[in-house]
């Protein structure tokens, strides 16, 4: 049975130290972990305390994993940019009523979510899975910061389960490719060239 932890990577609050901005803990972690739980290939999946990106290192990862008694750690990260622009409805802002109610603002959030599988025992990053995400919404002038933050949270929460499915598929592909490579090594260099295409086919299999 293999245990796995999901470690959120968050940005540091300033350049003077690696302290994380806990107010920006990735919102998609909960749905990502929920999809991973109760399904193969991991017997146990747990959420871990966030770590700032500036504190990443081999020893740091192994120390954190040891505290949770984990064999694998998934490094989870969200990189999402925010945009706000006026649309043609904003011409109605010349009137007081229009400024209060017309949806003259275009809100857009876009970026990607990624997950990298770290093997604690070997110290290797096995693979990285990345998914592009985007959402748009029209709004009025009221509470724009709150609306963009909500749009971002809804977006990453929506695609968290999809990223989890991608990770599981990539893990099966990785395991299959590893079996092929191991079989090649056992056969010896004479047969390795003839079996090489099998690795590509295995890695590309759905």
């Amino acid at each position: 049975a293999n245990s796995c932890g999901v470690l959120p990577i968050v940005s540091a609050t300033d350049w003077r130290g690696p302290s994380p901005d806990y107010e920006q803990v990735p919102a998609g972690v909960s749905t990502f972990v929920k999809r991973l739980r109760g399904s193969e290939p991991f017997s146990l999946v747990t959420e871990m305390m966030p770590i700032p990106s500036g504190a990443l290192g081999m020893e740091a990862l192994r120390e954190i994993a040891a505290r949770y008694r984990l064999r694998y750690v998934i490094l989870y990260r969200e990189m999402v940019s925010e945009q706000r622009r006026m649309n043609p409805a904003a011409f109605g802002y010349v009137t007081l009523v229009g400024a209060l109610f017309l949806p003259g603002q275009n809100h857009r959030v876009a970026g990607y979510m990624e997950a990298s599988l770290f093997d604690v025992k070997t110290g290797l990053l096995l693979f990285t899975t990345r998914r592009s995400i985007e959402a748009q919404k029209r709004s009025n002038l009221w509470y724009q910061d709150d609306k963009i933050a909500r749009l971002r949270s809804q977006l990453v929460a929506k695609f968290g389960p999809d990223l989890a499915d991608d990770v599981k598929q990539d893990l099966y592909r990785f395991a299959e490719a590893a079996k092929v490579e191991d079989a090649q090594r056992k056969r010896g260099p004479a047969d390795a060239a003839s079996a090489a295409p099998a690795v590509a086919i295995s890695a590309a299999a759905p």
Side-chain angles (χ1 to χ4, degrees):
N2 294 318
S3 57
C4 177
V6 177
L7 180 63
I9 309 300
V10 296
S11 59
T13 53
D14 57 59
W15 58 271
R16 292 172 295 181
S19 58
D21 182 1
Y22 287 107
E23 295 182 357
Q24 298 296 326
V25 173
V29 171
S30 59
T31 58
F32 177 75
V33 171
K34 184 177 180 180
R35 180 59 65 91
L36 288 178
R37 282 177 175 161
S39 62
E40 295 183 353
F42 300 112
S43 58
L44 173 67
V45 180
T46 183
E47 292 188 45
M48 305 170 67
M49 293 182 63
I51 185 173
S53 56
L56 282 177
M58 184 71 66
E59 295 304 319
L61 289 176
R62 281 182 162 172
E63 181 179 349
I64 294 172
R67 292 177 180 176
Y68 285 87
R69 296 189 176 184
L70 300 172
R71 169 63 196 273
Y72 298 98
V73 173
I74 295 177
L75 308 179
Y76 176 94
R77 186 196 305 266
E78 296 171 2
M79 297 296 292
V80 181
S81 61
E82 304 170 354
Q83 293 180 353
R84 61 184 78 184
R85 295 179 179 176
M86 290 190 295
N87 59 47
F91 287 111
Y93 289 171
V94 296
T95 66
L96 179 60
V97 175
L100 294 176
F101 299 106
L102 288 178
Q105 302 291 319
N106 282 342
H107 295 167
R108 179 177 180 268
V109 291
Y112 63 86
M113 307 163 66
E114 70 175 22
S116 301
L117 184 62
F118 176 69
D119 187 336
V120 178
K121 183 177 180 180
T122 64
L124 298 177
L125 281 171
L126 302 183
F127 62 83
T128 296
T129 302
R130 182 172 295 166
R131 173 173 282 268
S132 298
I133 55 175
E134 180 181 354
Q136 300 185 53
K137 188 175 183 179
R138 299 177 67 183
S139 177
N140 55 32
L141 286 172
W142 293 94
Y143 308 108
Q144 289 195 58
D145 290 341
D146 293 340
K147 292 175 180 178
I148 288 182
R150 184 165 58 251
L151 181 62
R152 172 176 175 157
S153 296
Q154 292 172 345
L155 177 64
V156 295
K158 174 183 177 181
F159 285 101
D162 293 335
L163 180 64
D165 291 339
D166 292 343
V167 167
K168 289 187 287 186
Q169 290 297 322
D170 284 350
L171 182 56
Y172 288 127
R173 293 189 184 102
F174 178 86
E176 194 64 29
K179 290 179 181 178
V180 173
E181 292 178 357
D182 185 59
Q184 287 181 3
R185 286 193 294 268
K186 290 180 179 179
R187 284 195 296 266
D191 299 327
S194 60
V199 178
I201 295 173
S202 175

